[in-house]
Amino acid sequence: MNLSTTTILIIKTIVLRFLFSPATAQASSCSIKEFPVVRNISELPQDDYELGGLSHITIAGSLMHGMKEIEIWLHTYSPGAHTPIHRHSCEEVFVVLKGSGTLFLASSMHEKYPGKPQEFHIFPNSTFYIPVNDAHQVWNTNDHEDLQVLVIISQPPIRAFVYEDWFMPHAAAKLAFPIPWDARCLEAPFKYEL
Amino acid sequence: MNLSTTTILIIKTIVLRFLFSPATAQASSCSIKEFPVVRNISELPQDDYELGGLSHITIAGSLMHGMKEIEIWLHTYSPGAHTPIHRHSCEEVFVVLKGSGTLFLASSMHEKYPGKPQEFHIFPNSTFYIPVNDAHQVWNTNDHEDLQVLVIISQPPIRAFVYEDWFMPHAAAKLAFPIPWDARCLEAPFKYEL
C-alpha cells in the first residue's frame, strides 16, 4: 500500500465515521442554534427510543431548542402501549388529539406508596392535568387506534421517578434522568438510577 | 303595597340579580376547586371577550385551574382576525391545528422600537416559538378558513405590552394586565395600562 492509498483509506474512514456516527446524527437533531422560526412538525425528528410502541417528537424542547421554562412533546402510543408508572415535580398537561385510552392516577404523595390508582377515560379533544408528584400512567387501551397526545411540561428537562408497580414505596422509585430523548441530546447514556 | 308584597319584590330582585349578575357567571367559570380531572375541551367556556374575531378557551390556566408554571389556550381566529402587536417576558409556543396565516416577528429588543417585522407563513401542523420579549403579531391572512392554534405560555398569568404600530418605542408600549380572560377571573376590569 503506498502513501496515496493509505491517505485515501484514512479519508474514507473519516467520511464513513462522520456519516454513520450516532454522535454526529444526535448532535444534528439536538442543535439549539440552527432551526427555523416556523417548523413543520411532520418533518421533526421522530423516534421510538426503543421504548416499545411510543413514537416521540420534541416540538419545543429544552436541550433540543433552548427552551427554559416549558417543553412540548407529541406522543403517539400504538394499541396496548403505555408510559411507565411514574411521578415528577413539574407541572404536566395532556391534550388528546386522536384515539382514546386510560389515565391511571394515584393521588397519594402523603402515603408510603401510590396504591390502587383511579382510572379515567381519555378521548379525542379531552385534556387533563397531572397534579405535581402524583404517580400516574397513560395507557392506550383502545385495540384499534393509536393514541396521540400533546404533552406540556414545566421545568425541563424532565426528571421522572419510575415505579415497578403501584405498591412500590415512593422512596424506592427510580430516577429516570436523562430520559431517552434528552439522553440523546446530552450524548449521555440513559440511566434509570443515579 | 303591604309588607308581604315588598318582601316578595326584594326576594325577586335578589334572585334576578343572582341569576344575571356577570360576577356570578364569571365566578362559576373561574373556580379552581371543582373541575373534573379529564375535561372535554369542546365543553369548556368559550368567549370572544369582545376582541373581534377571536374565540378563546383556557384549556389549563393559572386563575381558572390553579396552574402555577404553564398555561394553555385554544385560540380560533376568523379570517382577517389578529392579535395586537405585543411582547412579553414569558416563553410562548404555538402549535397550529387548522388554517394558515402569518407570524410577524421583530427581534429588536435591543433597539428603541420593534421596526419592520419579519414575516413567516404558518400552516397546519406547524409550530413556532416567540423569543422572550420579541414584539410579535399572529394574523389569520387566509380569507377562507379559521386559524386555530394551541398557545402555551410560561409564568402565568400573562403580562403583555401592547404596541399601536411597529415603530412605537418599546418604552411606550402599554401594559395589558389582566388580559380579558384573566380579568374575568380576577373580577377586575381589563386595563390596557397601569
Side-chain angles (χ1 to χ4, degrees), chain A residues 139-152:
Chain A
W139 201 302
N140 182 355
T141 44
N142 180 332
D143 289 342
H144 306 291
E145 199 178 357
D146 283 352
L147 170 65
Q148 190 170 58
V149 292
L150 276 173
V151 186
I152 297 109

Side-chain angles (χ1 to χ4, degrees), chain B residues 11 26 33 44 59 64 67 69 75 81 86 106 108 115 126 148 163 172 177 186 189 193:
Chain B
I11 291 171
Q26 290 156 15
K33 288 180 184 168
L44 297 180
I59 289 180
M64 198 170 282
M67 303 294 298
E69 299 174 334
H75 278 180
H86 66 290
S108 63
S126 66
Q148 191 172 58
Y163 300 77
F177 180 83
L186 287 171
E193 198 166 19

Side-chain angles (χ1 to χ4, degrees), chain A:
Chain A
M1 187 185 285
N2 60 28
L3 186 63
S4 162
T5 313
T6 310
T7 308
I8 289 168
L9 194 63
I10 290 171
I11 290 171
K12 269 190 178 170
T13 306
I14 291 171
V15 167
L16 284 171
R17 278 202 180 158
F18 183 80
L19 285 175
F20 295 105
S21 155
T24 307
Q26 289 157 18
S28 68
S29 67
C30 296
S31 166
I32 65 167
K33 289 181 183 169
E34 290 183 18
F35 58 90
V37 170
V38 179
R39 289 168 292 143
N40 187 336
I41 293 173
S42 60
E43 292 173 359
L44 297 180
Q46 184 167 18
D47 205 314
D48 69 356
Y49 296 90
E50 299 177 9
L51 292 175
L54 166 67
S55 167
H56 168 93
I57 293 175
T58 298
I59 289 180
S62 166
L63 300 175
M64 197 170 282
H65 308 112
M67 302 294 298
K68 293 190 168 47
E69 299 175 333
I70 47 182
E71 180 156 316
I72 303 163
W73 309 326
L74 180 63
H75 277 180
T76 308
Y77 295 90
S78 57
H82 56 86
T83 69
I85 303 166
H86 66 290
R87 72 167 197 269
H88 39 68
S89 60
C90 63
E91 291 191 335
E92 184 174 40
V93 176
F94 288 75
V95 175
V96 180
L97 301 178
K98 293 177 192 168
S100 59
T102 304
L103 162 67
F104 297 90
L105 181 66
S107 297
S108 63
M109 54 186 285
H110 302 297
E111 306 290 333
K112 286 196 173 169
Y113 52 82
K116 185 173 163 49
Q118 280 191 284
E119 296 183 24
F120 300 94
H121 179 61
I122 60 177
F123 50 90
N125 211 33
S126 67
T127 183
F128 52 98
Y129 161 67
I130 307 297
V132 165
N133 280 321
D134 277 4
H136 60 284
Q137 182 176 44
V138 174
W139 201 302
N140 182 355
T141 44
N142 180 332
D143 289 342
H144 306 291
E145 199 178 357
D146 283 352
L147 170 65
Q148 190 170 58
V149 292
L150 276 173
V151 186
I152 297 109
I153 61 157
S154 63
Q155 303 176 18
I158 196 167
R159 297 169 66 89
F161 289 85
V162 176
Y163 300 78
E164 285 172 13
D165 57 57
W166 293 99
F167 298 92
M168 185 177 191
H170 292 308
K174 294 176 181 170
L175 177 66
F177 180 82
I179 54 171
W181 41 92
D182 287 338
R184 186 166 295 181
C185 283
L186 287 172
E187 295 181 15
F190 170 53
K191 286 196 294 188
Y192 243 174
E193 197 167 20
L194 274 183

